[in-house]
Amino acid sequence: MSEPLLNTSVSDNGSELADFSAAESEAPRGNVWLRRLLVLSDSLGITFAWLLTSITMLSRQPWWSTSKLGFLPVVLAVTLATIAGAKLYKARVCSVRAVETATLIRAGAVASSACWLIAGRVGADAVRVSTALTSGVLSFAFVMTFRTLYRAALESARSGGRFTRPVLLVGTGDEAYELEQMIADEPELGYRVVGVVGRAAEAAERKFAAPYVGQIADVVELARASGVNGVIIGSSSLGFRELNRTVRVLLDAGIHIQVSGGLLGINASRLRSNPIGREAAFYLEQVQLTGWQSKVKRALDLVLGTLALILTAPVMTLFAIMVRRDGGKAIFRQQRVGHNGK
């Protein structure tokens, strides 16, 4: 999906404005198509799981019986409804793999229980508790597999500039600039900055790739004019009161908001939501492992490392012989700077 160029003009006060209408026209259609593709992917996973369960656990039942193919529409409807009810077709839920996995496990348990309760009412008496549980476990495995393939295909498409979500970047400080650079360097994240909102002088100084479109006080009007429904806020670029006022205004306008934590380079998995009173705050986990964690990690390193060396030894030996035959050195040595500059 090619991305049209943005037409820019300069207003009377020297700020650069952009006409985003052409660039955003394809975004809603792309989002709907992707969601339908994900629903289809889940449907295939659920169908395969039920067919496999039917073959292994309901072998005495004829294929056309209510307990086999006749019960498939019920399994599909209940499981998909449960997945949708858990908001697993929302990007904010699926974007974090651990959250997606945990939510899918809960949705699978609920769907299995619901299918077992419904089975007796629709005449599928052969569907027992064990059958429903087996179907739930297999559904989770197949759905996660298909979602992994879906995620890989989507990331590949996004790397080529397709299916990216247009957003406004609010803030013109150093953090906002770093955010824009990261988004540009990692298109697989799925964002495309189409405009920068903040202070004109700071935007001109830092030379953002996206056009400067206006002041923070006008952010809602700028978002509506651009056709985007989401913004990313570089929190350190705004003062405390300005940040809170801007977030509330955007929320009232129904615009999706992502606020950076001001901790670039810190792994998000180390952040824990830990409010101070009524105020939102994060606790930052230490990097160091506890005593038992260090021992487990060391044991895994030794066991897995040894297995990997044994399995790859024949191939590594072959490569070493080939390198030596070409006149090279099979073992590479080099002095490197280590801990504390040693």
Side-chain angles (χ1 to χ4, degrees), residues 4-341:
L5 296 175
L6 299 177
N7 299 319
T8 60
S9 60
V10 178
S11 66
D12 294 337
N13 62 3
S15 65
E16 193 177 34
L17 302 177
D19 175 14
F20 303 90
S21 57
E24 310 315 325
S25 60
E26 297 185 40
R29 290 197 298 271
N31 292 338
V32 172
W33 188 84
L34 287 174
R35 187 170 288 111
R36 289 175 179 172
L37 183 61
L38 185 57
V39 173
L40 176 61
S41 170
D42 289 347
S43 300
L44 289 174
I46 297 165
T47 300
F48 288 160
W50 179 248
L51 290 178
L52 185 58
T53 303
S54 299
I55 293 171
T56 56
M57 303 190 70
L58 301 173
S59 57
R60 296 183 179 180
Q61 300 292 321
W63 280 107
W64 58 87
S65 69
T66 307
S67 298
K68 270 195 172 181
L69 288 182
F71 197 59
L72 178 58
V74 175
V75 175
L76 269 174
V78 171
T79 309
L80 288 176
T82 308
I83 291 174
K87 299 182 179 179
L88 281 164
Y89 295 118
K90 299 288 186 181
R92 61 179 178 271
V93 178
C94 298
S95 59
V96 182
R97 192 60 181 271
V99 175
E100 180 187 39
T101 302
T103 309
L104 268 176
I105 292 174
R106 291 195 297 269
V110 172
S112 297
S113 302
C115 287
W116 174 68
L117 291 173
I118 294 172
R121 298 180 180 274
V122 297
D125 298 326
V127 177
R128 308 297 183 186
V129 174
S130 57
T131 310
L133 288 176
T134 302
S135 175
V137 172
L138 290 176
S139 292
F140 170 76
F142 278 112
V143 168
M144 282 301 299
T145 300
F146 281 118
R147 283 193 169 224
T148 299
L149 297 174
Y150 169 87
R151 188 187 298 268
L154 181 57
E155 288 181 355
S156 176
R158 283 173 169 172
S159 297
R162 303 178 63 198
F163 306 125
T164 53
R165 177 186 178 186
V167 295
L168 288 183
L169 179 61
V170 180
T172 46
D174 290 335
E175 183 187 5
Y177 180 78
E178 293 292 335
L179 283 170
E180 188 196 40
Q181 293 296 308
M182 181 183 66
I183 291 171
D185 292 339
E186 302 178 37
E188 64 274 10
L189 295 175
Y191 299 104
R192 176 165 45 91
V193 178
V194 297
V196 176
V197 180
R199 298 173 180 85
E202 289 184 351
E205 178 184 353
R206 289 178 175 81
K207 295 181 172 58
F208 286 85
Y212 172 76
V213 296
Q215 300 289 329
I216 293 177
D218 303 320
V219 64
V220 173
E221 289 75 15
L222 293 169
R224 287 172 175 166
S226 68
V228 304
N229 65 351
V231 302
I232 297 176
I233 302 178
S235 57
S236 64
S237 301
L238 287 72
F240 168 74
R241 297 189 183 280
E242 184 181 32
L243 174 61
N244 279 269
R245 183 173 58 252
T246 302
V247 167
R248 284 171 170 77
V249 168
L250 289 167
L251 283 173
D252 290 341
I255 295 173
H256 299 287
I257 309 166
Q258 285 183 273
V259 183
S260 69
L263 297 170
L264 294 178
I266 300 295
N267 194 315
S269 63
R270 293 175 56 196
L271 297 177
R272 299 286 182 269
S273 178
N274 189 17
I276 301 175
R278 293 186 299 273
E279 301 297 327
F282 293 102
Y283 175 78
L284 185 59
E285 296 281 0
Q286 297 293 330
V287 178
Q288 292 84 359
L289 300 176
T290 62
W292 71 270
Q293 289 176 327
S294 298
K295 292 177 181 178
V296 171
K297 180 180 182 301
R298 180 60 177 166
L300 288 174
D301 288 344
L302 290 174
V303 173
L304 297 179
T306 302
L307 289 175
L309 283 174
I310 293 173
L311 293 174
T312 59
V315 179
M316 294 172 64
T317 302
L318 177 62
F319 286 161
I321 294 173
M322 294 172 64
V323 170
R324 289 291 296 172
R325 290 187 62 181
D326 288 341
K329 295 182 178 180
I331 299 177
F332 175 76
R333 295 179 58 189
Q334 184 184 55
Q335 284 191 343
R336 306 293 295 269
V337 178
H339 185 57
N340 295 328

